[in-house]
Amino acid sequence: MTPVGTIVAKELRSYFVSPIVYVVGAVFLLIFGVLSYLAVVNAGAQAVRLMQIQGAAAQLNLNDLVFRPTFYSIAIILLLILPLLTMRLFAEERKLRTFELLMTSPIGINEMIVGKFLGAYTIFLGLLGLSGIVPVILSLYSSFDWNPVLTGYLGLALLGALLLATGVLASALTENQIVAAFLSFGLLILVWLLGGVGSVLGDNPLGNILSYLSFIEHYDRFVRGLVDTKDLVYYSSGMVLMLFLAHRVVDAQRWK
Amino acid sequence: MINVQNITKRYGDLTAIERVTFSVNKGEVLAFLGPNGAGKTTTMRILTCYMPATEGTARVAGYDCFDQPLEVKRRIGYLPETPPVYQELTVAEYLTFTGRLKGMGRTDLRSAMDRTIERLSLGDVRHRLIANLSRGYKQRVGLAQALLHDPPVLILDEPTVGLDPKQIIEIRELIKSLAGSHTVILSTHILPEATAVCQRVVIISGGRIAAVDTPERLSARLRQSEKISVTVKTPPPDLAARFRSLPGVLSVFEPTDSGAFLLECELGRDLRDDIARLIVTQGWGLLELKAVSMTLEDVFLRLTQHEEGMPESGALGPMAGAEVVRP
Ligand SMILES: Nc1ncnc2c1ncn2[C@@H]1O[C@H](COP(=O)(O)OP(=O)(O)O)[C@@H](O)[C@H]1O
Ligand SMILES: [Mg+2]
């Protein structure tokens, strides 16, 4: 087994015996279900209203009425629950001194970080996969355009990678799991809000840079069905940057 | 096999170890004996590449700990001070994980696991969660992890802490059985442990090496030699060297706070006269000169004085700066 594979397997094992995965998973799927249910009910009410105005010719667009609002809310939910998946990754190792085992084993820090990240990411992709039940069920009873749904999922997968990588960094910074979780909430909300600051600043270099940094605008295009290389680059470079910083932090801790 | 040259480690302002130099031959079992805070763990962490030294070089099996950490790590089995176990895994899962971390293949791992579990009598708890094991079992699981891939070098930080007397004897037997085929460094603050299992003892205190010798010679020398305590008003910087050059002086300890030098002299020779003459002719100002008797236990008690009630700043204990030069 490769070093990365070894770490991934161990992380998955640890995740499944800890309650956190079940709590995070249940909360995520429940919220996903409730949000889509509310969106569907809401769409139904709008349909009734439209029919009263326009008669039977009314066309309902499930993509606009159900999926888009759900995708936006889910992004915020992820921001709140994914730090709970990553908080233990390094903090717990340092608290319980197992960090010393990892650091004196013949594997590199990068393999450690990538392994831990992939462990958390696997859990997240699993949850995302389970949430796919919702569009599948909806497709049985109605018709909608699958394209923006799939790109929306791609957006979620990329957004999740960035959120988790930020969480890995936060976990490397402290040996207290709660602090790690709040640190990543803080970091993520800050980056999220940068977009707002950017648009207040308007169309000038600083404003544009801040808007570019915020992950909301990039996510928005995926939800609207657009896959743009620029957004792919944004998420993957952001993720690599966070993991690189985590590498620096873990390495620097040896010098203290 | 292990070669440490002048390593110094500072944590901010605190000097944890200072200019530590020693080497360990292949197949030798060496003990690090010293009180808490002496710098044993720090030295071991540098050897295992957990952290780099501030100054100096450490080499294991010919590889530099700083430049070739992976090569060094491959050759070391390390039991840290706190057994690095995952509570949520079973013993078998844990050993599988650590074996893979060390790069063992599936078949190697399976036989190594059976062998190690047998060797450390962990058979009964093989499929138990580590969280539910006693301190002694956790310690043995930690030890199993260090031995699993049969590394040529073993570094064991206080391996018998938390074990009951019967287990302590078993672990000591185990360590003795490693001698010859493995190079072992273990740390302890228990004197009989060092003398029971080791071929050589490094006494470390206040971050410095106070003495290196075989347990027999160490105790013989300390029991049989004469010791003289000398306090001088204005000691020149090279006073220790000057004392050492006197015929009949075996070694010189220079404590930092009390200012009293401790001279170890050949048996049956009273050097007080010579020492007094040297000090007086040089005009250093003789304040005190007396013969003291000391056993290895006495030395060790002095070394361990700052275990209780000493300020935590205490990288500088009463014996800091002590050095022993063998003739
Ligand atoms: N991470 C650290 N940061 C600051 N000081 C430390 C650290 N680790 C150890 N020390 C200090 O270094 C000295 C040596 O400690 P250590 O090597 O653990 O001694 P021992 O293992 O012999 O008990 C002690 O004074 C201890 O307080
Ligand atoms: Mg220690």
Side-chain angles (χ1 to χ4, degrees):
Chain A
M1 214 178 221
T2 64
V4 171
T6 302
I7 303 277
V8 173
K10 151 73 181 57
E11 290 306 328
L12 289 179
R13 176 86 192 106
S14 295
Y15 271 129
F16 281 112
V17 292
S18 92
I20 199 97
V21 161
Y22 300 100
V23 173
V24 165
V27 166
F28 174 76
L29 293 175
L30 192 72
I31 292 180
F32 198 101
V34 170
L35 283 175
S36 354
Y37 173 73
L38 289 178
V40 168
V41 170
N42 181 40
Q46 292 214 20
V48 172
R49 232 177 300 130
L50 272 179
M51 270 193 277
Q52 282 165 354
I53 300 167
Q54 303 179 349
Q59 274 294 311
L60 258 191
N61 186 336
L62 275 191
N63 289 96
D64 287 347
L65 288 175
V66 175
F67 289 112
R68 268 170 74 173
T70 307
F71 272 126
Y72 286 127
S73 319
I74 281 303
I76 294 173
I77 302 301
L78 286 186
L79 188 129
L80 295 176
I81 62 172
L82 289 191
L84 301 177
L85 276 189
T86 48
M87 64 183 186
R88 51 168 284 280
L89 288 177
F90 280 98
E92 191 180 43
E93 302 264 6
R94 292 188 43 220
K95 183 111 196 171
L96 300 177
R97 306 297 174 85
T98 45
F99 190 55
E100 208 162 337
L101 170 75
L102 290 184
M103 293 298 283
T104 55
S105 294
I107 63 165
I109 295 175
N110 43 2
E111 290 163 326
M112 231 179 274
I113 287 177
V114 170
K116 282 176 175 291
F117 169 78
L118 286 180
Y121 197 55
T122 308
I123 300 283
F124 166 68
L125 287 185
L127 290 179
L128 220 50
L130 287 177
S131 77
I133 292 176
V134 170
V136 168
I137 289 178
L138 281 179
S139 72
L140 296 180
Y141 300 100
S142 57
S143 66
F144 55 84
D145 184 2
W146 269 98
N147 234 12
V149 176
L150 293 177
T151 58
Y153 265 101
L154 177 63
L156 273 183
L158 289 166
L159 176 68
L162 181 54
L163 301 186
L164 290 171
T166 310
V168 171
L169 170 63
S171 185
L173 283 166
T174 168
E175 57 174 52
N176 184 320
Q177 295 195 40
I178 309 293
V179 171
F182 274 93
L183 214 63
S184 35
F185 292 144
L187 264 172
L188 294 174
I189 289 170
L190 199 75
V191 178
W192 190 282
L193 292 180
L194 283 181
V197 177
S199 52
V200 169
L201 287 179
D203 191 13
N204 56 49
L206 184 64
N208 289 338
I209 289 173
L210 291 184
S211 307
Y212 176 78
L213 286 181
S214 164
F215 29 66
I216 194 136
E217 200 188 318
H218 301 277
Y219 179 60
D220 188 55
R221 271 191 287 275
F222 285 107
V223 173
R224 285 189 283 125
L226 305 169
V227 178
D228 192 332
T229 2
K230 160 172 112 185
D231 302 323
L232 295 174
V233 168
Y234 167 83
Y235 282 114
S236 36
S237 58
M239 178 192 79
V240 169
L241 175 69
M242 290 299 165
L243 295 180
F244 171 76
L245 290 178
H247 183 290
R248 302 307 309 162
V249 169
V250 171
D251 193 40
Q253 274 153 2
R254 305 163 53 227
W255 294 85
K256 277 203 300 204
Chain B
M1 196 68 173
I2 297 174
N3 200 318
V4 173
Q5 287 287 333
N6 279 316
I7 53 170
T8 296
K9 174 74 193 181
R10 280 187 276 272
Y11 297 107
D13 287 343
L14 181 111
T15 304
I17 53 170
E18 191 164 6
R19 281 184 284 120
V20 164
T21 299
F22 67 94
S23 60
V24 192
N25 299 323
K26 192 160 188 293
E28 193 177 22
V29 179
L30 178 118
F32 260 21
L33 177 65
N36 285 338
K40 304 181 295 292
T41 299
T42 301
T43 310
M44 292 183 150
R45 285 180 168 173
I46 292 168
L47 281 174
T48 53
C49 314
Y50 178 65
M51 59 188 189
T54 315
E55 282 160 30
T57 54
R59 297 177 77 82
V60 173
Y63 296 98
D64 189 285
C65 291
F66 186 75
D67 297 326
Q68 292 148 301
L70 286 185
E71 295 301 327
V72 172
K73 288 175 185 178
R74 264 191 256 285
R75 288 164 178 79
I76 290 183
Y78 176 40
L79 172 69
E81 203 163 27
T82 316
V85 292
Y86 293 98
Q87 311 286 336
E88 72 271 19
L89 302 185
T90 66
V91 172
E93 284 169 342
Y94 174 73
L95 292 178
T96 307
F97 171 63
T98 58
R100 285 177 183 164
L101 271 186
K102 287 158 185 176
M104 297 178 81
R106 186 187 293 264
T107 41
D108 268 5
L109 185 55
R110 191 165 306 150
S111 57
M113 221 157 80
D114 291 340
R115 197 176 56 232
T116 314
I117 282 177
E118 166 81 36
R119 203 168 190 185
L120 287 152
S121 347
L122 288 168
D124 294 344
V125 297
R126 191 178 178 131
H127 297 292
R128 293 260 298 275
L129 281 183
I130 294 177
N132 300 334
L133 300 183
S134 67
R135 175 83 173 81
Y137 267 118
K138 282 181 188 161
Q139 183 76 14
R140 279 190 277 161
V141 172
L143 205 50
Q145 161 276 129
L147 293 170
L148 188 64
H149 59 310
D150 199 27
V153 177
L154 283 156
I155 296 190
L156 313 173
D157 200 349
E158 314 226 3
T160 58
V161 163
L163 302 181
D164 65 36
K166 180 169 161 283
Q167 293 166 343
I168 289 179
I169 292 169
E170 285 169 12
I171 295 301
R172 285 183 188 165
E173 286 307 314
L174 175 78
I175 293 169
K176 274 195 232 170
S177 75
L178 296 170
S181 54
H182 297 75
T183 308
V184 185
I185 297 185
L186 66 91
S187 74
T188 174
H189 57 262
I190 306 160
L191 180 62
E193 178 152 304
T195 49
V197 293
C198 298
Q199 280 122 43
R200 229 153 33 107
V201 179
V202 171
I203 297 184
I204 179 168
S205 172
R208 298 202 186 201
I209 291 185
V212 186
D213 213 331
T214 61
E216 299 78 28
R217 284 192 28 201
L218 210 53
S219 40
R221 216 179 63 203
L222 286 160
R223 287 220 177 78
Q224 292 170 6
S225 59
E226 313 273 352
K227 281 161 211 82
I228 297 172
S229 158
V230 189
T231 314
V232 172
K233 199 153 92 194
T234 49
D238 62 340
L239 186 57
R242 301 288 287 266
F243 280 151
R244 217 174 284 137
S245 63
L246 283 174
V249 173
L250 297 175
S251 59
V252 180
F253 291 82
E254 20 174 335
T256 49
D257 19 351
S258 67
F261 283 76
L262 186 70
L263 277 59
E264 209 185 311
C265 308
E266 271 170 30
L267 196 61
R269 254 177 102 158
D270 193 347
L271 292 176
R272 275 177 290 182
D273 221 22
D274 300 355
I275 294 165
R277 200 164 26 245
L278 173 74
I279 293 169
V280 170
T281 53
Q282 298 289 332
W284 293 330
L286 179 62
L287 294 182
E288 193 191 49
L289 178 70
K290 60 178 184 195
V292 288
S293 61
M294 240 183 164
T295 62
L296 185 55
E297 278 77 10
D298 290 332
V299 170
F300 190 71
L301 280 178
R302 279 191 74 169
L303 290 170
T304 46
Q305 260 171 20
H306 62 144
E307 196 163 356
E308 289 98 23
M310 282 291 290
E312 197 43 61
S313 68
L316 297 176
M319 296 294 284
E323 60 170 327
V324 168
V325 175
R326 275 205 308 282

